């Protein structure tokens, strides 16, 4: 009874955009809307501390760095250090350096761990007076096909709150409520399971000189910088394997063998999990006034480092489209939002799929067979010896293959 009295006492609040989720997509949308003079409220299910420590991606690609730069935000929200533009592909212990510098002018990719980007985006939004509500439970969407959608949620104190808005940005990832609020059959899912597992390990151990991807007869492995004394490692494993099957000694032995580096320095392992490599696209990325942004709409297998960068791309297009609608009553960009996002989504899916196939097939031939192993090794060889192939690779890594961006913000 007391609860329902409190629920009734809360008058609906009004805003222009409700953003669901405070990950990379949600906090980028929030900052770009704030810079555009469009008011919004961000609802995040978790605590600020939880969101701020979630470690995943590590490189903000060149295109995304330039996107933040065009909004005057690069220096404020991108931590870390500039990425030197070199990637090491190590094949059977033999190093090959490939460049992801495409020769264009402007700032380049940044080694910026995802949690650092989210922390800085959050701080920037809040210091400028942004409205961000953590521990928002039971978020539900209503009337998204009408003129004024409603979003309901429960505060940490158990109070029911209602927000009305013009647009909802569904930035709540693959397990959020935004996409599942869309009636069945409205969005078409395109899913692919690579049949590959990755053990991912975070450790307090020296980072490599360059991001390193290794092909070996024992399977794929990778070593990425995540800070001055922090590294993330990946080891190909059966998709249904369990992390308990990988005690520390086995992890370091496998890394030393597959990376071809008997002297690899180990360190305390702080996180260890196994996930399946999978890819997923939902089409369209819009339903009424609900726009899906980032992982809520698509998952890219981590090879090629595109998932977070795609989320940043969607966020930029969405914020510009809302700005045009709110300030200029021009809905053209909103109408084409899904189509334009999906063009890049499929492009990046293809790149990631190509790299995933090449770097797994070229190693352990148990799954791929000797013919695919031969093809994969030919692709690698072309990358190391044919300048045209190397250039196409670097353009795809930078994200600049379609040109720079959607143009400067007004
Ligand atoms: C191990 C791993 C490694 C990766 N490596 C890379 C990489 O190297 N490069 C790269 O570009 N990408 C990488 N990715 C992918 C990248 O992490 C994601 O693409 C990125 O996090 C997507 O951001 P997002 O904001 O769309 O979703 P998320 O980061 O999932 O954020 C969603 C937010 O919504 C919140 N939320 C969920 N449900 C609700 C709800 N009901 N109500 C309110 N809030 C809700 C969540 O708590 C979360 O804060 C990796 C992913 C994994 C798992």
């Amino acid at each position: 009874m007391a609860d329902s009295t409190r629920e009734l006492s809360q008058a609906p609040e009004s805003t222009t955009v409700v953003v669901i989720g405070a990950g990379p997509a949600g906090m980028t949308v929030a900052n770009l809307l704030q810079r555009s003079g469009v008011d919004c409220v961000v609802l995040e299910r978790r605590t600020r501390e939880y969101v701020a420590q979630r470690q995943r991606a590590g490189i903000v690609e060149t295109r995304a760095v330039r996107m933040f730069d065009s909004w005057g935000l690069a220096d404020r929200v991108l931590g870390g250090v500039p990425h030197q533009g070199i990637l090491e592909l190590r094949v059977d212990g033999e190093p090959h350096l490939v460049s992801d510098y495409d020769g264009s002018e402007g700032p380049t990719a940044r080694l910026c761990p995802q949690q650092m980007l989210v922390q800085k985006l959050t701080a920037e939004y809040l210091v400028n007076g942004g409205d961000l509500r953590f521990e928002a439970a039971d978020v539900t969407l209503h009337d998204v096909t009408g003129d004024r959608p409603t979003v309901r949620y429960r505060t940490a104190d158990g109070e029911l709150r209602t927000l009305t808005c013009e647009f909802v940005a569904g930035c709540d990832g693959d397990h959020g409520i935004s996409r599942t609020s869309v009636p069945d059959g409205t969005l078409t899912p395109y899913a692919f399971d690579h049949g590959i597992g990755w053990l991912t390990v975070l450790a307090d151990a020296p980072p490599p000189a360059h991001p390193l991807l290794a092909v070996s007869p024992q399977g794929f492995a990778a070593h990425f910088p995540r800070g001055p004394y922090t590294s993330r490692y990946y080891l190909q494993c059966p998709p249904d394997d369990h992390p308990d099957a990988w005690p520390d000694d086995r992890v370091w032995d496998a890394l030393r063998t597959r990376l071809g580096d008997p002297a690899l320095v180990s360190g305390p392992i702080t996180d260890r999990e196994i996930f399946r490599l999978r890819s997923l696209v939902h089409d369209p990325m819009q339903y009424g006034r609900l726009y899906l942004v980032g992982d809520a709409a698509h998952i890219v297998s981590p090879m090629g480092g595109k998932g977070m960068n795609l989320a940043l791309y969607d966020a930029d297009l969405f914020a510009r489209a809302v700005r045009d609608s709110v300030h200029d009553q021009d809905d053209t960009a909103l109408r084409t939002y899904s189509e334009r996002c999906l063009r890049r989504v499929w492009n990046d899916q293809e790149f990631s799929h190509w790299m995933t196939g090449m770097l797994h097939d070229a190693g352990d031939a148990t799954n791929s067979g000797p013919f695919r192993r031969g093809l994969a090794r030919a692709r690698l060889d072309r990358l190391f010896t044919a300048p045209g192939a190397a250039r196409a690779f670097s353009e795809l890594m930078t994200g600049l293959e379609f040109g720079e961006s959607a143009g400067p913000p007004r």
Side-chain angles (χ1 to χ4, degrees), residues 154-168:
R154 204 172 283 280
T155 66
D157 298 335
E159 285 182 8
L160 190 66
R161 296 276 176 90
T162 302
L163 290 155
T164 64
C165 58
E166 288 181 44
F167 307 103
V168 180

Side-chain angles (χ1 to χ4, degrees), residues 98-358:
V98 291
S99 170
D100 69 3
Y101 174 60
D102 72 334
S104 64
E105 294 287 320
T108 54
R110 198 79 80 97
L111 293 173
C112 174
Q114 177 168 329
Q115 75 276 14
M116 187 187 286
L117 175 66
V118 170
Q119 286 165 23
K120 285 179 169 271
L121 284 165
T122 303
E124 176 70 12
Y125 179 64
L126 291 176
V127 84
N128 291 311
D131 188 339
L132 169 48
R133 306 178 189 185
F134 289 102
E135 298 182 77
D138 305 333
V139 176
T140 53
L141 310 184
H142 310 269
D143 303 327
V144 293
T145 53
D147 285 345
R148 223 165 151 81
T150 301
V151 181
R152 298 208 174 93
Y153 73 99
R154 204 172 283 280
T155 66
D157 298 335
E159 285 182 8
L160 190 66
R161 296 276 176 90
T162 302
L163 290 155
T164 64
C165 58
E166 288 181 44
F167 307 103
V168 180
C171 307
D172 47 354
D174 189 34
H175 304 292
I177 54 87
S178 297
R179 196 180 66 235
T180 52
S181 303
V182 177
D184 285 349
T186 310
L187 311 181
T188 304
Y190 298 93
F192 186 81
D193 184 337
H194 296 261
I196 296 168
W198 274 9
L199 170 76
T200 171
V201 164
L202 198 63
D204 296 331
H210 309 290
L212 164 61
L213 305 160
V215 168
S216 84
Q218 292 79 25
F220 172 79
H223 183 187
F224 292 111
R226 286 294 186 265
Y229 306 104
T230 312
S231 291
R232 184 174 281 286
Y233 306 87
Y234 294 106
L235 284 164
Q236 180 183 353
C237 66
D240 298 322
D241 225 353
H242 194 278
D244 291 350
W246 289 88
D248 291 14
D249 284 352
R250 186 179 176 204
V251 169
W252 294 113
D253 285 350
L255 284 169
R256 289 186 180 112
T257 304
R258 297 188 196 183
L259 297 176
D261 181 2
L264 181 76
V265 177
S266 61
I269 291 177
T270 54
D271 187 40
R272 175 187 342 233
E273 59 181 293
I274 286 178
F275 61 94
R276 288 182 89 91
L277 265 58
R278 65 191 181 99
S279 308
L280 177 64
V281 178
H282 285 91
D283 183 355
M285 290 170 52
Q286 178 202 355
Y287 176 62
R289 290 177 170 268
L290 166 65
Y291 294 82
L292 300 177
V293 184
D295 276 19
H298 41 71
I299 299 292
V300 193
S301 85
M303 189 74 91
K306 290 297 180 185
M308 181 183 77
N309 287 297
L310 267 181
L312 304 179
Y313 181 76
D314 298 348
D316 181 39
L317 288 197
F318 174 73
R320 289 168 193 272
V322 169
R323 178 202 61 196
D324 289 354
S325 175
V326 170
H327 293 318
D328 303 334
Q329 290 73 50
D330 178 358
D331 286 345
T332 315
L334 280 174
R335 278 197 297 276
T336 56
Y337 168 78
S338 175
E339 183 189 324
R340 287 187 299 148
C341 288
L342 285 168
R343 180 169 176 244
R344 180 171 287 279
V345 169
W346 281 112
N347 178 72
D348 287 5
Q349 291 282 13
E350 193 284 329
F351 176 58
S352 173
H353 190 91
W354 172 81
M355 270 189 89
T356 304
M358 179 173 71

